[in-house]
Amino acid sequence: MRKRSAILLLLPAFVGVLIFTFYPLIQIIIPTLNQSSDYGKLYLEFLKSSYNQTVIFRTLAIALFTTLVVLVLGLPLAIWIARQDEKVRKLLSVIILFPMLTNAVIRNFAWIIILGKNGVFNDLLLKLHLISAPITILYTNAAIVIGSAYLFLPIMVTSLVGSITELNIETEEAAAVLGAGAMTNLFKVIIPQLTTGILTGCILVFAGTMTAYTTPQLLGGNRHLVMATLIYQQAMTLGDWTNASVVAIILIILSVVIMFAINKLMKKLDRRKVNA
Amino acid sequence: MLDRKNKPLLIFGLVVMFIILVPLVLVVITSFGNQPTISLPIKGFTFEWYKNILQQPDFVDGFKMSLFVALIASFSALLIGIPAVYALTRYNLQHAEWFQSFFLSPTLIPEIVVGFALYQTAVISFKLPLLISLLVGHFLLCLPYVIRLVSASMLILDPHIEEAAWVSGCTKGQAFFLVVLPNIKASVIAAFMMCFINSFNNIPISLFLNGPALNMLPTAILNYLQNNYDPTVSAISVVLMIFTAVMMWVVEKFLGVNKLVK
């Protein structure tokens, strides 16, 4: 009786996820395998093309650079915010949260204004006589990295501020008394205590950037496709739904494998800390 | 030391805060410009572009549709998610952890793939209407927020107070609505807000599941932006930013904005 009511409560959510998440996945996998007697043929063909290799490599490289930029900007900012009085910290957290909840199109659009041929950035460089003609930044890989970093920075900062606030500042005071400078303190005291928080943030940023559609679409243009925009192009522009499925499956596998690997790394580093 | 008194850290913090805020400020400024294309610094001052929003049926209908989809998807995620959370946290099920991961699994699949796969299954195979398929996609986006946020507060809540209500003569239903729900109210509201905001802002899932008669606001802005470069986009962006700010203010009033990210 008890068991039956538990099953009844679970059933709608279970059936919903099963039918609309797992069944569709199986449905897109099957045609990619059944094209010929050779099961992996479509995947091998896809991976052999140098164009596709470039797209996969670009996707991974953009995600990697974005994660690095977000980490380098986000960690010191998070430390700075976490070390303020509670009132200031709350205010700053709300300011950080605002872009996070603002639509991605708007945040990308802001960077179109800045990075365009006649944009704010080129204007500034021209006025400072650093360049003599506008440079192309919009519709390059760099623009995608900048836009993605802007998109994901608040997420990294919010997730780090929490764990930094919990750190015991006396540990750093002790290190300072013993002669550690700010940099030594950062790398030898703060960062080792934050590995879990940092890697969790990195998973979010890496996986998020890697699978994002809007930013590469708006800031990368048609010549800088990543896997997410390639799926859309294959399906909607070229009408090749099987090939789009191949890209989709590879994207899922890649992102899950990378998330799993960072998770493993996190557990390993955590264990070392316990043993030490 | 890296505390409040550290000068380099202060400068770094201020510079990054500046980088975070300036792009949005620029969008606001360009929305008042007089020229037919977006340019800075602006010349003149006009509200013309705000009026122009209302001339764009895609924006007006898109706003209504996005609002509708976000509300329905969020409510159905609560309606279906909360019972599941209750079962997972109160029945000592054998594979509770497995079910939990199962319910969170939609987050592992890239949103664009969710839309792409759902289009083939729901629209082509099951022949469901486009609107229903779109709602299902947004429901899948919302469900993990409900599972995560509500189960966190259900685990903290002492099960004995519910048992006390049973002993005092409440039916199971009464105990849930009169005792459990008021105690997890904050997390339910937080989950609803996260669902609503993420559904309202979503593009990748809607991309495959919208059509000529089914226009979502973010995809409408995306399309407009790819064909035009006039300050109407800035104006609609400002309207949406005000919308976001109002929502944050409401959340702050009722439970504190920091609840959203915990």
Side-chain angles (χ1 to χ4, degrees):
Chain A
M1 175 59 207
R2 245 178 86 75
K3 202 159 188 190
R4 212 167 58 202
S5 55
I7 290 172
L8 277 178
L9 291 171
L10 279 175
L11 205 62
F14 184 77
V15 171
V17 174
L18 194 67
I19 295 185
F20 292 113
T21 303
F22 284 88
Y23 180 72
L25 279 184
I26 294 167
Q27 217 189 11
I28 64 167
I29 293 174
I30 289 171
T32 67
L33 297 176
N34 271 2
Q35 288 283 316
S36 65
S37 52
D38 197 355
Y39 279 140
K41 191 165 167 264
L42 277 178
Y43 290 87
L44 282 179
E45 265 173 20
F46 177 84
L47 292 172
K48 262 187 202 148
S49 132
S50 67
Y51 179 79
N52 296 330
Q53 286 170 4
T54 317
V55 172
I56 295 178
F57 179 73
R58 182 184 296 125
T59 309
L60 292 173
I62 285 173
L64 181 68
F65 277 108
T66 302
T67 311
L68 289 177
V69 172
V70 168
L71 192 59
V72 168
L73 295 180
L75 180 61
L77 179 64
I79 296 175
W80 181 64
I81 292 177
R83 296 283 147 92
Q84 305 296 320
D85 290 334
E86 203 188 332
K87 246 191 176 163
V88 183
R89 193 170 67 221
K90 261 204 170 147
L91 179 72
L92 289 172
S93 304
V94 171
I95 296 177
I96 296 276
L97 203 60
F98 179 69
M100 196 164 128
L101 300 179
T102 301
N103 201 305
V105 179
I106 299 174
R107 289 187 278 166
N108 286 324
F109 164 60
W111 285 96
I112 296 181
I113 299 178
I114 297 170
L115 300 176
K117 263 254 142 61
N118 304 310
V120 178
F121 190 64
N122 266 322
D123 252 19
L124 194 72
L125 292 184
L126 283 171
K127 272 186 193 130
L128 293 172
H129 298 290
L130 288 172
I131 51 172
S132 51
I135 49 170
T136 311
I137 314 171
L138 192 59
Y139 307 129
T140 63
N141 294 332
I144 306 179
V145 171
I146 294 172
S148 307
Y150 185 65
L151 228 52
F152 287 101
L153 184 61
I155 295 180
M156 179 68 101
V157 174
T158 357
S159 78
L160 282 178
V161 168
S163 21
I164 297 171
T165 323
E166 282 161 22
L167 292 185
N168 188 351
I169 196 150
E170 284 165 11
T171 325
E172 286 159 57
E173 281 164 2
V177 169
L178 293 172
M183 278 301 168
T184 319
N185 235 327
L186 176 64
F187 286 103
K188 293 266 159 90
V189 181
I190 300 179
I191 291 179
Q193 297 183 81
L194 287 178
T195 42
T196 311
I198 290 175
L199 289 175
T200 311
C202 287
I203 294 182
L204 288 175
V205 178
F206 195 97
T209 310
M210 191 176 155
T211 58
Y213 170 85
T214 316
T215 309
Q217 175 65 27
L218 276 174
L219 301 179
N222 290 329
R223 271 181 300 158
H224 295 89
L225 290 186
V226 295
M227 292 175 79
T229 43
L230 183 64
I231 295 173
Y232 189 78
Q233 192 217 44
Q234 293 282 343
M236 294 310 239
T237 317
L238 305 175
D240 190 342
W241 289 75
T242 318
N243 222 350
S245 302
V246 170
V247 189
I249 303 296
I250 296 177
L251 181 60
I252 295 178
I253 294 175
L254 274 178
S255 71
V256 170
V257 165
I258 289 168
M259 279 192 259
F260 186 76
I262 304 181
N263 239 318
K264 263 254 147 48
L265 179 71
M266 195 154 75
K267 289 211 174 103
K268 207 171 159 189
L269 290 173
D270 242 19
R271 203 178 307 136
R272 208 180 57 189
K273 212 164 64 191
V274 172
N275 288 342
Chain B
M1 262 199 33
L2 291 174
D3 54 17
R4 239 177 327 151
K5 292 178 209 105
N6 189 300
K7 276 265 161 55
L9 189 65
L10 172 74
I11 294 167
F12 192 95
L14 289 176
V15 169
V16 180
M17 286 305 285
F18 182 79
I19 298 175
I20 288 177
L21 287 176
V22 160
L24 296 178
V25 174
L26 291 179
V27 171
V28 177
I29 295 174
T30 56
S31 72
F32 298 111
N34 241 337
Q35 296 106 312
T37 62
I38 296 169
S39 51
L40 275 166
I42 56 167
K43 296 199 181 76
F45 185 90
T46 176
F47 282 111
E48 218 34 59
W49 307 110
Y50 288 88
K51 282 184 207 147
N52 195 34
I53 295 174
L54 298 175
Q55 311 295 317
Q56 305 292 331
D58 281 1
F59 289 171
V60 179
D61 299 342
F63 182 79
K64 287 182 202 155
M65 186 55 83
S66 287
L67 207 60
F68 172 76
V69 168
L71 282 173
I72 303 285
S74 310
F75 272 119
S76 44
L78 287 178
L79 221 57
I80 291 175
I82 294 177
V85 169
Y86 185 82
L88 288 181
T89 51
R90 285 295 180 272
Y91 282 86
N92 288 320
L93 293 177
Q94 250 177 1
H95 303 291
E97 236 170 80
W98 184 88
F99 275 108
Q100 174 101 4
S101 326
F102 182 81
F103 292 142
L104 296 179
S105 64
T107 53
L108 286 179
I109 297 156
E111 286 172 10
I112 181 131
V113 180
V114 172
F116 168 72
L118 208 53
Y119 180 79
Q120 296 183 61
T121 300
V123 181
I124 295 178
S125 300
F126 296 170
K127 304 217 162 33
L128 290 177
L130 208 53
L131 178 62
I132 302 293
S133 314
L134 184 70
L135 285 170
V136 169
H138 281 246
F139 163 77
L140 291 173
L141 176 76
C142 294
L143 186 66
Y145 290 105
V146 176
I147 300 286
R148 215 179 281 145
L149 289 162
V150 178
S151 51
S153 71
M154 275 299 277
L155 286 172
I156 301 170
L157 184 68
D158 185 354
H160 292 115
I161 60 166
E162 195 186 350
E163 284 160 21
W166 297 340
V167 175
S168 314
C170 271
T171 64
K172 286 210 159 176
Q174 281 172 331
F176 180 79
F177 285 105
L178 296 175
V179 177
V180 178
L181 203 54
N183 275 297
I184 58 168
K185 198 176 63 189
S187 71
V188 172
I189 298 173
F192 177 81
M193 291 313 284
M194 285 313 272
C195 291
F196 181 85
I197 291 168
N198 279 290
S199 163
F200 189 84
N201 284 337
N202 185 275
I203 290 177
I205 293 181
S206 311
L207 212 55
F208 281 96
L209 298 170
N210 66 11
L214 189 61
N215 212 332
M216 305 291 279
L217 184 59
T219 41
I221 301 175
L222 185 71
N223 287 336
Y224 189 91
L225 193 53
Q226 284 174 322
N227 302 316
N228 309 274
Y229 192 61
D230 70 46
T232 313
V233 184
S234 311
I236 184 85
S237 299
V238 174
V239 172
L240 281 183
M241 281 192 252
I242 294 170
F243 186 67
T244 309
V246 169
M247 273 194 292
M248 280 177 73
W249 181 78
V250 171
V251 176
E252 179 65 41
K253 266 266 149 349
F254 287 106
L255 70 157
V257 141
N258 294 326
K259 277 266 163 43
L260 287 185
V261 284
K262 264 182 198 147

